[in-house]
Amino acid sequence: MGNFLAGKVVAVTGAGRGIGRAVALGAAAEGAKVVVNDYGVSVEGASPSSEVAEAVVKEIEAAGGDAVAVADDVSTMAGGQRVVDVAVSSYGRLDGVVCVAGILRERMLFNMSEEEWDPVVATHLKGTFTVFRAAAAVMRRQRVGTLIGFTSGNHQGSVSQANYSAAKGGIISLVRSAALGLNKYGVSANAVAPVARTRMSANVPVELTEIGEPEDVAALVVYLLSDKAREQGITGQVYTIAGPKLAVWGQPRELRAAYASGGWTPEMIAEFLPGSVGVDPMPLLSRLEAMERAAARGDRPNA
Ligand SMILES: NC(=O)c1ccc[n+]([C@@H]2O[C@H](COP(=O)([O-])OP(=O)(O)OC[C@H]3O[C@@H](n4cnc5c(N)ncnc54)[C@H](O)[C@@H]3O)[C@@H](O)[C@H]2O)c1
């Protein structure tokens, strides 16, 4: 066992499988006491089971670590609150939360139903809010803490996962808001956009050329949870980890501006916009053909 997180208490959602499991095991191996949350559902979010979270607690205990299971649904306020309450009642404090829980319901936008939109946004975006909300109240009192959200490169846009993409974009804005609002209380907030082999990435509608294992992602999360990251002033950031690749995403900012002293008319905008303000080309638009070829090979829903 290492001691990168010695004495810390960390709660991980979606910790029963895939990346969340690797994060829970990795944090425990570095000395953290871990709340293992998982609702135990299918990729689409069906058939909950408490066994998934309990199995990871057993793994941590077998390796000499300390963990407790919470099988609640984090898309509810009560579920998010329980993850935090169990950390505090079991271990007396909460140093970090890592919101990894997620599901997929893939459909082209023109066919997407409310039942495909709502649960995906609720699990990812609201499921990050519910845990951040409850954890932030504890961390504000402690004057220390780390919030970590899980986003995706897919926040740039997606052909057949508009629900997932919108939720992942929302998580980045939520993380930045938490970084801004909680900075004065000693609480940091960052987002991770991973690429790793799991049951979920087997469903990604593009060919993943850069990909790693869940354990690669755990290394980044352990660092972000550590005092080193705090000392190094890491907050409000989005990092990708994909096997050997570690990357930082840019902050959104205005690229170019033009001013009209008397205000703009549609005619003036039509005349000046192309040559002055212009566009910022969308990288994914140039990859549409390749994405469509991959989608055809993987028998993706296209209707
Ligand atoms: N695997 C990748 O390459 C990749 C890429 C980009 C983003 N991500 C993100 O990383 C995270 C983990 O993905 P993964 O690939 O390990 O997926 P996974 O399906 O292996 O694990 C997700 C876990 O979340 C749990 N879960 C689902 N809904 C829940 C809820 N309401 N409450 C609590 N737990 C719930 C599931 O039971 C499951 O164990 C997700 O947020 C995903 O969007 C993954």
Side-chain angles (χ1 to χ4, degrees):
M1 293 236 295
N3 64 357
F4 224 70
L5 301 178
K8 293 198 186 295
V9 178
V10 173
V12 186
T13 76
R17 296 191 186 88
I19 294 169
R21 173 179 164 274
V23 167
L25 291 169
E30 291 292 339
K33 297 179 172 66
V34 182
V35 176
V36 175
N37 162 256
D38 203 293
Y39 194 34
V41 288
S42 67
V43 176
E44 296 79 23
S47 317
S49 152
S50 58
E51 283 159 29
V52 181
E54 282 156 13
V56 173
V57 167
K58 288 203 183 93
E59 276 188 86
I60 290 173
E61 286 172 348
D66 201 342
V68 57
V70 175
D72 289 47
D73 172 3
V74 292
S75 71
T76 67
M77 292 303 281
Q81 186 69 51
R82 217 174 103 71
V83 169
V84 170
D85 287 350
V86 168
V88 175
S89 62
S90 304
Y91 303 123
R93 56 181 294 111
L94 180 60
D95 298 286
V97 293
V98 190
C99 295
V100 191
I103 61 169
L104 285 180
R105 292 191 187 181
E106 188 171 300
R107 189 77 59 198
M108 294 299 283
L109 182 58
F110 41 80
N111 282 331
M112 188 173 286
S113 68
E114 197 174 3
E115 290 69 37
E116 285 158 345
W117 175 272
D118 281 351
V120 169
V121 175
T123 304
H124 290 273
L125 182 54
K126 187 175 174 190
T128 303
F129 163 70
T130 66
V131 176
F132 275 20
R133 160 70 183 85
V138 173
M139 291 173 178
R140 176 171 172 252
R141 283 196 297 276
Q142 288 177 172
R143 290 291 196 272
V144 68
T146 304
L147 307 172
I148 299 177
F150 263 66
T151 184
S152 161
N154 193 316
H155 78 269
Q156 297 173 95
S158 167
V159 172
S160 57
Q161 298 177 338
N163 46 0
Y164 179 84
S165 176
K168 291 309 199 187
I171 287 171
I172 294 179
S173 295
L174 173 60
V175 160
R176 291 205 180 101
S177 299
L180 284 175
L182 300 172
N183 191 55
K184 69 175 173 188
Y185 303 111
V187 178
S188 63
N190 293 289
V192 174
V195 192
R197 282 182 199 90
T198 67
R199 66 175 191 173
M200 193 186 280
S201 60
N203 279 305
V204 170
V206 288
E207 210 140 14
L208 297 167
T209 46
E210 290 176 315
I211 188 162
E213 301 304 324
E215 290 69 26
D216 300 320
V217 185
L220 172 64
V221 174
V222 165
Y223 160 74
L224 290 173
L225 289 167
S226 74
D227 292 336
K228 284 262 184 276
R230 170 171 311 282
E231 287 155 19
Q232 291 165 352
I234 309 294
T235 196
Q237 304 302 308
V238 181
Y239 292 108
T240 274
I241 187 145
K245 180 171 108 171
L246 175 62
V248 66
W249 290 79
Q251 300 286 342
R253 52 173 63 85
E254 290 176 354
L255 282 184
R256 282 175 293 277
Y259 296 86
S261 52
W264 293 95
T265 64
E267 292 77 13
M268 285 164 69
I269 292 173
E271 191 181 336
F272 284 104
L273 183 143
S276 55
V277 175
V279 297
D280 183 18
M282 187 182 182
L284 288 184
L285 265 181
S286 61
R287 287 173 48 199
L288 268 179
E289 258 183 45
M291 288 195 282
E292 269 162 24
R293 276 198 305 275
R297 271 200 303 280
D299 195 27
R300 318 303 306 175
N302 54 14

Short mmCIF file of all heavy atoms in Angstrom, two decimals, residues 107-150:
data_model
loop_
_atom_site.label_atom_id
_atom_site.label_comp_id
_atom_site.label_asym_id
_atom_site.label_seq_id
_atom_site.Cartn_x
_atom_site.Cartn_y
_atom_site.Cartn_z
N ARG A 107 -29.48 7.35 -29.09
CA ARG A 107 -30.52 7.50 -30.12
C ARG A 107 -30.23 8.78 -30.89
O ARG A 107 -29.73 9.75 -30.30
CB ARG A 107 -31.89 7.63 -29.44
CG ARG A 107 -33.08 7.57 -30.37
CD ARG A 107 -33.40 6.18 -30.83
NE ARG A 107 -33.69 5.31 -29.69
CZ ARG A 107 -33.66 3.98 -29.77
NH1 ARG A 107 -33.34 3.36 -30.88
NH2 ARG A 107 -33.94 3.27 -28.71
N MET A 108 -30.53 8.79 -32.17
CA MET A 108 -30.41 10.03 -32.93
C MET A 108 -31.37 11.06 -32.35
O MET A 108 -32.47 10.72 -31.90
CB MET A 108 -30.70 9.80 -34.41
CG MET A 108 -29.69 8.90 -35.12
SD MET A 108 -27.99 9.54 -35.12
CE MET A 108 -28.12 10.81 -36.39
N LEU A 109 -30.98 12.33 -32.41
CA LEU A 109 -31.76 13.39 -31.77
C LEU A 109 -33.21 13.41 -32.25
O LEU A 109 -34.14 13.58 -31.45
CB LEU A 109 -31.09 14.76 -32.04
CG LEU A 109 -31.75 15.97 -31.41
CD1 LEU A 109 -31.83 15.84 -29.89
CD2 LEU A 109 -30.98 17.24 -31.77
N PHE A 110 -33.40 13.20 -33.56
CA PHE A 110 -34.76 13.30 -34.10
C PHE A 110 -35.66 12.15 -33.63
O PHE A 110 -36.87 12.19 -33.83
CB PHE A 110 -34.75 13.39 -35.65
CG PHE A 110 -33.76 12.47 -36.32
CD1 PHE A 110 -34.06 11.13 -36.50
CD2 PHE A 110 -32.53 12.96 -36.74
CE1 PHE A 110 -33.16 10.29 -37.11
CE2 PHE A 110 -31.62 12.11 -37.37
CZ PHE A 110 -31.92 10.77 -37.55
N ASN A 111 -35.10 11.13 -33.02
CA ASN A 111 -35.92 10.03 -32.49
C ASN A 111 -35.84 9.90 -30.97
O ASN A 111 -36.45 9.00 -30.39
CB ASN A 111 -35.48 8.70 -33.11
CG ASN A 111 -36.01 8.52 -34.51
OD1 ASN A 111 -37.06 9.04 -34.84
ND2 ASN A 111 -35.27 7.81 -35.34
N MET A 112 -35.07 10.76 -30.31
CA MET A 112 -34.84 10.57 -28.87
C MET A 112 -36.10 10.87 -28.07
O MET A 112 -36.74 11.90 -28.25
CB MET A 112 -33.69 11.48 -28.42
CG MET A 112 -33.26 11.21 -26.99
SD MET A 112 -31.79 12.13 -26.56
CE MET A 112 -30.53 11.21 -27.44
N SER A 113 -36.42 9.97 -27.14
CA SER A 113 -37.61 10.14 -26.31
C SER A 113 -37.22 10.78 -24.98
O SER A 113 -36.05 10.83 -24.60
CB SER A 113 -38.25 8.78 -26.05
OG SER A 113 -37.39 8.01 -25.23
N GLU A 114 -38.24 11.22 -24.26
CA GLU A 114 -38.03 11.78 -22.92
C GLU A 114 -37.40 10.72 -22.01
O GLU A 114 -36.57 11.03 -21.15
CB GLU A 114 -39.40 12.22 -22.37
CG GLU A 114 -39.34 13.15 -21.21
CD GLU A 114 -40.72 13.66 -20.81
OE1 GLU A 114 -41.74 13.24 -21.42
OE2 GLU A 114 -40.79 14.47 -19.89
N GLU A 115 -37.77 9.44 -22.23
CA GLU A 115 -37.24 8.34 -21.40
C GLU A 115 -35.77 8.06 -21.73
O GLU A 115 -35.09 7.37 -20.98
CB GLU A 115 -38.05 7.05 -21.60
CG GLU A 115 -39.45 7.08 -21.03
CD GLU A 115 -40.38 8.04 -21.79
OE1 GLU A 115 -40.27 8.12 -23.04
OE2 GLU A 115 -41.19 8.72 -21.14
N GLU A 116 -35.32 8.55 -22.87
CA GLU A 116 -33.90 8.40 -23.20
C GLU A 116 -33.12 9.65 -22.76
O GLU A 116 -31.95 9.54 -22.41
CB GLU A 116 -33.74 8.15 -24.71
CG GLU A 116 -34.15 6.73 -25.06
CD GLU A 116 -34.54 6.52 -26.51
OE1 GLU A 116 -34.78 7.49 -27.24
OE2 GLU A 116 -34.62 5.35 -26.91
N TRP A 117 -33.76 10.79 -22.75
CA TRP A 117 -33.09 12.03 -22.33
C TRP A 117 -32.97 12.12 -20.81
O TRP A 117 -31.86 12.26 -20.26
CB TRP A 117 -33.86 13.25 -22.87
CG TRP A 117 -33.28 14.53 -22.39
CD1 TRP A 117 -33.62 15.20 -21.22
CD2 TRP A 117 -32.25 15.31 -23.00
NE1 TRP A 117 -32.86 16.33 -21.09
CE2 TRP A 117 -32.02 16.43 -22.16
CE3 TRP A 117 -31.50 15.17 -24.16
CZ2 TRP A 117 -31.06 17.41 -22.46
CZ3 TRP A 117 -30.56 16.16 -24.47
CH2 TRP A 117 -30.33 17.25 -23.62
N ASP A 118 -34.11 12.04 -20.11
CA ASP A 118 -34.14 12.38 -18.68
C ASP A 118 -33.20 11.53 -17.81
O ASP A 118 -32.43 12.08 -17.03
CB ASP A 118 -35.57 12.33 -18.13
CG ASP A 118 -36.38 13.57 -18.50
OD1 ASP A 118 -35.79 14.54 -19.02
OD2 ASP A 118 -37.60 13.56 -18.27
N PRO A 119 -33.25 10.19 -17.90
CA PRO A 119 -32.41 9.40 -17.00
C PRO A 119 -30.90 9.60 -17.24
O PRO A 119 -30.10 9.52 -16.31
CB PRO A 119 -32.81 7.96 -17.28
CG PRO A 119 -34.15 8.05 -17.92
CD PRO A 119 -34.14 9.33 -18.70
N VAL A 120 -30.53 9.86 -18.49
CA VAL A 120 -29.10 10.07 -18.79
C VAL A 120 -28.63 11.38 -18.17
O VAL A 120 -27.59 11.43 -17.48
CB VAL A 120 -28.85 10.03 -20.32
CG1 VAL A 120 -27.45 10.51 -20.67
CG2 VAL A 120 -29.07 8.61 -20.83
N VAL A 121 -29.41 12.45 -18.36
CA VAL A 121 -29.03 13.73 -17.76
C VAL A 121 -29.12 13.62 -16.24
O VAL A 121 -28.26 14.15 -15.52
CB VAL A 121 -29.93 14.87 -18.31
CG1 VAL A 121 -29.64 16.18 -17.61
CG2 VAL A 121 -29.72 15.02 -19.82
N ALA A 122 -30.11 12.89 -15.74
CA ALA A 122 -30.27 12.76 -14.28
C ALA A 122 -29.11 11.99 -13.66
O ALA A 122 -28.62 12.36 -12.59
CB ALA A 122 -31.59 12.07 -13.96
N THR A 123 -28.65 10.94 -14.31
CA THR A 123 -27.57 10.14 -13.71
C THR A 123 -26.25 10.92 -13.75
O THR A 123 -25.55 11.02 -12.73
CB THR A 123 -27.42 8.81 -14.48
OG1 THR A 123 -28.67 8.14 -14.48
CG2 THR A 123 -26.37 7.93 -13.82
N HIS A 124 -25.91 11.48 -14.89
CA HIS A 124 -24.61 12.16 -15.02
C HIS A 124 -24.62 13.54 -14.35
O HIS A 124 -23.83 13.78 -13.43
CB HIS A 124 -24.24 12.32 -16.49
CG HIS A 124 -23.91 11.03 -17.17
ND1 HIS A 124 -22.64 10.48 -17.15
CD2 HIS A 124 -24.68 10.16 -17.87
CE1 HIS A 124 -22.65 9.34 -17.83
NE2 HIS A 124 -23.87 9.12 -18.28
N LEU A 125 -25.50 14.41 -14.84
CA LEU A 125 -25.41 15.81 -14.39
C LEU A 125 -26.03 16.00 -13.01
O LEU A 125 -25.38 16.52 -12.10
CB LEU A 125 -26.10 16.72 -15.43
CG LEU A 125 -26.08 18.22 -15.16
CD1 LEU A 125 -24.65 18.74 -14.92
CD2 LEU A 125 -26.72 18.98 -16.31
N LYS A 126 -27.27 15.55 -12.84
CA LYS A 126 -27.87 15.69 -11.51
C LYS A 126 -27.14 14.81 -10.50
O LYS A 126 -26.95 15.21 -9.35
CB LYS A 126 -29.37 15.36 -11.54
CG LYS A 126 -30.05 15.68 -10.21
CD LYS A 126 -31.55 15.46 -10.27
CE LYS A 126 -32.14 15.65 -8.88
NZ LYS A 126 -33.55 15.21 -8.85
N GLY A 127 -26.69 13.64 -10.94
CA GLY A 127 -25.96 12.73 -10.05
C GLY A 127 -24.62 13.30 -9.60
O GLY A 127 -24.07 12.87 -8.59
N THR A 128 -24.09 14.24 -10.34
CA THR A 128 -22.88 14.95 -9.88
C THR A 128 -23.30 16.07 -8.94
O THR A 128 -22.69 16.28 -7.89
CB THR A 128 -22.11 15.51 -11.10
OG1 THR A 128 -21.79 14.41 -11.97
CG2 THR A 128 -20.80 16.18 -10.67
N PHE A 129 -24.39 16.78 -9.30
CA PHE A 129 -24.90 17.85 -8.43
C PHE A 129 -25.27 17.33 -7.05
O PHE A 129 -24.89 17.92 -6.03
CB PHE A 129 -26.12 18.53 -9.08
CG PHE A 129 -26.92 19.32 -8.09
CD1 PHE A 129 -26.42 20.50 -7.54
CD2 PHE A 129 -28.17 18.89 -7.66
CE1 PHE A 129 -27.14 21.22 -6.59
CE2 PHE A 129 -28.90 19.60 -6.73
CZ PHE A 129 -28.39 20.78 -6.19
N THR A 130 -26.00 16.20 -6.98
CA THR A 130 -26.51 15.75 -5.67
C THR A 130 -25.35 15.47 -4.70
O THR A 130 -25.43 15.79 -3.53
CB THR A 130 -27.39 14.48 -5.77
OG1 THR A 130 -26.59 13.38 -6.21
CG2 THR A 130 -28.58 14.68 -6.71
N VAL A 131 -24.28 14.89 -5.25
CA VAL A 131 -23.13 14.54 -4.40
C VAL A 131 -22.29 15.79 -4.10
O VAL A 131 -21.87 16.02 -2.96
CB VAL A 131 -22.30 13.43 -5.06
CG1 VAL A 131 -21.05 13.12 -4.25
CG2 VAL A 131 -23.15 12.17 -5.23
N PHE A 132 -22.06 16.62 -5.12
CA PHE A 132 -21.31 17.87 -4.91
C PHE A 132 -22.03 18.74 -3.87
O PHE A 132 -21.42 19.35 -3.01
CB PHE A 132 -21.19 18.67 -6.21
CG PHE A 132 -20.05 18.28 -7.12
CD1 PHE A 132 -19.42 17.06 -7.03
CD2 PHE A 132 -19.61 19.18 -8.10
CE1 PHE A 132 -18.38 16.71 -7.90
CE2 PHE A 132 -18.56 18.85 -8.96
CZ PHE A 132 -17.96 17.62 -8.86
N ARG A 133 -23.36 18.82 -3.99
CA ARG A 133 -24.17 19.68 -3.10
C ARG A 133 -23.98 19.26 -1.64
O ARG A 133 -23.70 20.09 -0.78
CB ARG A 133 -25.65 19.56 -3.52
CG ARG A 133 -26.67 19.96 -2.49
CD ARG A 133 -26.67 21.47 -2.24
NE ARG A 133 -27.60 21.86 -1.21
CZ ARG A 133 -27.35 21.85 0.10
NH1 ARG A 133 -26.18 21.42 0.55
NH2 ARG A 133 -28.26 22.25 0.96
N ALA A 134 -24.15 17.96 -1.39
CA ALA A 134 -24.04 17.47 -0.01
C ALA A 134 -22.59 17.55 0.47
O ALA A 134 -22.33 17.93 1.62
CB ALA A 134 -24.56 16.03 0.06
N ALA A 135 -21.64 17.22 -0.40
CA ALA A 135 -20.23 17.23 -0.01
C ALA A 135 -19.73 18.65 0.23
O ALA A 135 -18.95 18.90 1.16
CB ALA A 135 -19.38 16.55 -1.09
N ALA A 136 -20.20 19.59 -0.60
CA ALA A 136 -19.72 20.97 -0.48
C ALA A 136 -20.07 21.55 0.88
O ALA A 136 -19.29 22.32 1.46
CB ALA A 136 -20.32 21.83 -1.60
N ALA A 137 -21.25 21.17 1.41
CA ALA A 137 -21.65 21.69 2.72
C ALA A 137 -20.69 21.19 3.81
O ALA A 137 -20.30 21.96 4.70
CB ALA A 137 -23.09 21.26 3.03
N VAL A 138 -20.28 19.93 3.71
CA VAL A 138 -19.33 19.36 4.69
C VAL A 138 -17.95 19.98 4.50
O VAL A 138 -17.28 20.39 5.46
CB VAL A 138 -19.25 17.82 4.52
CG1 VAL A 138 -18.15 17.22 5.39
CG2 VAL A 138 -20.60 17.17 4.81
N MET A 139 -17.50 20.07 3.26
CA MET A 139 -16.14 20.56 2.98
C MET A 139 -16.00 22.04 3.32
O MET A 139 -14.94 22.49 3.74
CB MET A 139 -15.81 20.30 1.51
CG MET A 139 -15.65 18.82 1.20
SD MET A 139 -15.46 18.54 -0.57
CE MET A 139 -15.24 16.75 -0.59
N ARG A 140 -17.08 22.81 3.14
CA ARG A 140 -17.04 24.23 3.50
C ARG A 140 -16.79 24.37 5.00
O ARG A 140 -15.99 25.21 5.43
CB ARG A 140 -18.37 24.87 3.11
CG ARG A 140 -18.53 26.31 3.51
CD ARG A 140 -19.78 26.88 2.87
NE ARG A 140 -20.06 28.20 3.38
CZ ARG A 140 -21.05 28.49 4.20
NH1 ARG A 140 -21.88 27.53 4.62
NH2 ARG A 140 -21.24 29.73 4.62
N ARG A 141 -17.42 23.51 5.79
CA ARG A 141 -17.20 23.55 7.25
C ARG A 141 -15.78 23.10 7.59
O ARG A 141 -15.14 23.65 8.46
CB ARG A 141 -18.21 22.64 7.97
CG ARG A 141 -19.60 23.23 8.09
CD ARG A 141 -20.43 22.48 9.14
NE ARG A 141 -20.68 21.07 8.80
CZ ARG A 141 -21.66 20.66 8.00
NH1 ARG A 141 -22.48 21.54 7.45
NH2 ARG A 141 -21.84 19.39 7.77
N GLN A 142 -15.31 22.07 6.88
CA GLN A 142 -13.95 21.55 7.15
C GLN A 142 -12.86 22.50 6.68
O GLN A 142 -11.71 22.39 7.07
CB GLN A 142 -13.75 20.24 6.37
CG GLN A 142 -14.50 19.05 6.88
CD GLN A 142 -14.29 17.81 5.99
OE1 GLN A 142 -14.71 16.75 6.35
NE2 GLN A 142 -13.65 17.96 4.84
N ARG A 143 -13.22 23.39 5.73
CA ARG A 143 -12.26 24.28 5.07
C ARG A 143 -11.24 23.50 4.24
O ARG A 143 -10.12 23.95 4.02
CB ARG A 143 -11.52 25.18 6.09
CG ARG A 143 -12.43 26.25 6.70
CD ARG A 143 -12.78 27.27 5.61
NE ARG A 143 -13.33 28.52 6.07
CZ ARG A 143 -14.63 28.77 6.30
NH1 ARG A 143 -15.53 27.80 6.18
NH2 ARG A 143 -15.03 29.97 6.65
N VAL A 144 -11.65 22.34 3.75
CA VAL A 144 -10.78 21.58 2.84
C VAL A 144 -11.62 20.49 2.16
O VAL A 144 -12.56 19.96 2.75
CB VAL A 144 -9.56 20.97 3.58
CG1 VAL A 144 -9.98 19.88 4.57
CG2 VAL A 144 -8.53 20.43 2.62
N GLY A 145 -11.27 20.21 0.90
CA GLY A 145 -11.96 19.13 0.19
C GLY A 145 -11.72 19.22 -1.31
O GLY A 145 -11.26 20.23 -1.82
N THR A 146 -12.01 18.11 -1.97
CA THR A 146 -11.81 18.02 -3.43
C THR A 146 -13.04 17.40 -4.07
O THR A 146 -13.50 16.33 -3.65
CB THR A 146 -10.60 17.10 -3.73
OG1 THR A 146 -9.47 17.59 -3.03
CG2 THR A 146 -10.27 17.07 -5.21
N LEU A 147 -13.56 18.08 -5.09
CA LEU A 147 -14.70 17.56 -5.85
C LEU A 147 -14.19 17.17 -7.24
O LEU A 147 -13.49 17.97 -7.88
CB LEU A 147 -15.78 18.63 -5.99
CG LEU A 147 -16.28 19.29 -4.70
CD1 LEU A 147 -17.20 20.48 -5.02
CD2 LEU A 147 -17.03 18.28 -3.85
N ILE A 148 -14.54 15.97 -7.70
CA ILE A 148 -14.12 15.55 -9.04
C ILE A 148 -15.34 15.07 -9.81
O ILE A 148 -16.06 14.17 -9.37
CB ILE A 148 -13.04 14.45 -8.97
CG1 ILE A 148 -11.80 14.99 -8.23
CG2 ILE A 148 -12.66 13.98 -10.38
CD1 ILE A 148 -10.70 14.00 -8.04
N GLY A 149 -15.57 15.67 -10.97
CA GLY A 149 -16.65 15.25 -11.86
C GLY A 149 -16.08 14.46 -13.02
O GLY A 149 -14.91 14.62 -13.37
N PHE A 150 -16.92 13.63 -13.63
CA PHE A 150 -16.48 12.87 -14.81
C PHE A 150 -17.20 13.36 -16.04
O PHE A 150 -18.41 13.28 -16.16
CB PHE A 150 -16.67 11.36 -14.60
CG PHE A 150 -15.39 10.71 -14.16
CD1 PHE A 150 -14.85 11.02 -12.93
CD2 PHE A 150 -14.69 9.85 -15.00
CE1 PHE A 150 -13.64 10.47 -12.53
CE2 PHE A 150 -13.49 9.30 -14.62
CZ PHE A 150 -12.95 9.61 -13.38
#
